[in-house]
Structure formats: structure tokens, C-alpha cells
Amino acid sequence: QEGWRALQGAKAPELVRIQAQSQEQEDEAILAIPITGVCSRCSDKLEWRKKYRKFKPLKQPSKCRRCANRTVIHAYHELCDPCAKETSSCAMCMTSFEALAAAAAEATPASAAEGAAPAVEGAGAEAQSLEERVAELAPLLRERQRRTLLRKFDAGTLTTEMVDELERSRADSGDDMFGWGSEEEE
């Protein structure tokens, strides 16, 4: 059998190069897939899968666990987009967004109380109102915006003008916090 291996020879270099190019194209396509309709925890999971090349896209639609139709087109999702919108829940873990927002609201004031100094030093009432506004706004933001807001709040560099600007831009965008509004308009 060893002689047979020697006769078979090594792979041609052009075949190796073609396989590497096709893998790079597949990786680029996977990284370009948007993550929509999921909560921040599930979004982090999907981002991790993409980052470490563990993400496997669906080859054909899978069954929705609510309507039992083959309409789930996103990998790792349990609900199709219409069912997830209708129930207002995460398409991956099927947890309602109201429950997630309530849990985040409970966790945010507790972490702020444990934290260091308030964001604005000086007037206590103004700092308290800014803290309340941050606690109300944080669960409604996307992950990147929420982390930036909380980081500036903890550092003490957050001003009421910044919070006003964020609320205005959120109101002007008109879409919901999970990016479904933009798909419906197109």
C-alpha cells in the first residue's frame, strides 16, 4: 500500500490555490450576512461564530417552530421573520423582547449603583435625571451604542446634550431596535 501512495503523488499546486480561494470567498460571504431579528445575547453568539469561522449558513430553508412552514432562511434561527415580528420575540432563543427589556432595566440600575461616581458631578438632581435617562435609553439601543453610552456614563464624560442627540437620532431613524423597520420599507 505504501507504494500506491508514492504513485499517487502530491496534489497539484493549482488545485490547492483554487481551494484556498474558494474558502476565502465563502468566508467573505459568511461575514457579509447581516444579523437581524435576534436579542443582544444571541447576536453576540452569532458574531462569535462568524469571528472564529464556526458559522454554517443554511443550504435550504428550515421549519419555523411556530407556524411549521419551511420559511426560516437564517442559520441558527428557530422562528421565521414574520412569526418573530408578530410575537415580538428573538428569532433564535424565542424570548420576548419585553422580558429582555425588563431584565435589562433591572440589571442597569443595579450596575449603576455598584459603579463609581455619577456621570455629571455637581448638581445631584441633574446627575440623577441623567442616570434615569440612561437607564431608560440603554435597553432600547443597539449593542454598540449601548456599550458606548454606558462607557461614557461610567467615565463621567456623558452630557445631557449627548443623550438628547442620541434620543433625537433614535426618534428620527424610525426603525425598531432590531433592524426590521428597514426591511419593511424597501
Side-chain angles (χ1 to χ4, degrees):
Q1 292 297 331
E2 290 180 11
W4 179 80
R5 280 261 186 236
L7 291 175
Q8 185 180 8
K11 279 191 176 180
E14 63 271 4
L15 290 178
V16 174
R17 188 170 39 256
I18 290 170
Q19 289 174 349
Q21 288 173 349
S22 66
Q23 184 62 39
E24 288 175 6
Q25 291 171 348
E26 186 179 325
D27 286 347
E28 288 174 6
I30 288 173
L31 291 174
I33 295 173
I35 297 175
T36 59
V38 294
C39 61
S40 61
R41 182 171 178 246
C42 294
S43 176
D44 291 343
K45 289 179 184 180
L46 291 176
E47 285 296 330
W48 181 90
R49 283 183 179 273
K50 284 182 173 186
K51 181 179 178 182
Y52 292 103
R53 307 300 193 256
K54 302 291 183 184
F55 190 90
K56 303 289 182 202
L58 287 178
K59 293 186 178 12
Q60 62 183 9
S62 61
K63 265 190 177 177
C64 174
R65 290 188 50 189
R66 186 167 181 267
C67 66
N69 294 330
R70 290 206 171 267
T71 53
V72 178
I73 57 173
H74 300 291
Y76 306 102
H77 286 206
E78 299 292 329
L79 299 175
C80 60
D81 287 339
C83 289
K85 289 178 194 176
E86 187 178 320
T87 60
S88 182
S89 59
C90 174
M92 192 169 157
C93 66
M94 301 191 312
T95 307
S96 71
F97 290 130
E98 290 82 18
L100 292 172
E106 290 175 5
T108 303
S111 63
E114 294 172 5
V120 178
E121 304 207 6
E126 186 177 322
Q128 182 63 25
S129 67
L130 183 63
E131 184 175 344
E132 290 172 359
R133 289 177 65 191
V134 168
E136 290 174 5
L137 189 60
L140 304 175
L141 297 174
R142 293 189 176 144
E143 184 70 16
R144 181 181 61 82
Q145 292 174 332
R146 183 177 60 83
R147 288 186 184 208
T148 302
L149 180 75
L150 294 175
R151 186 174 57 248
K152 287 184 178 184
F153 179 78
D154 291 340
T157 59
L158 187 67
T159 62
T160 55
E161 291 81 21
M162 290 179 184
V163 175
D164 291 339
E165 175 71 25
L166 192 57
E167 288 174 342
R168 271 196 304 276
S169 66
R170 174 137 178 80
D172 291 342
S173 67
D175 63 342
D176 61 342
M177 67 179 141
F178 299 100
W180 287 335
S182 59
E183 291 176 7
E184 292 173 356
E185 294 171 3
E186 292 178 5

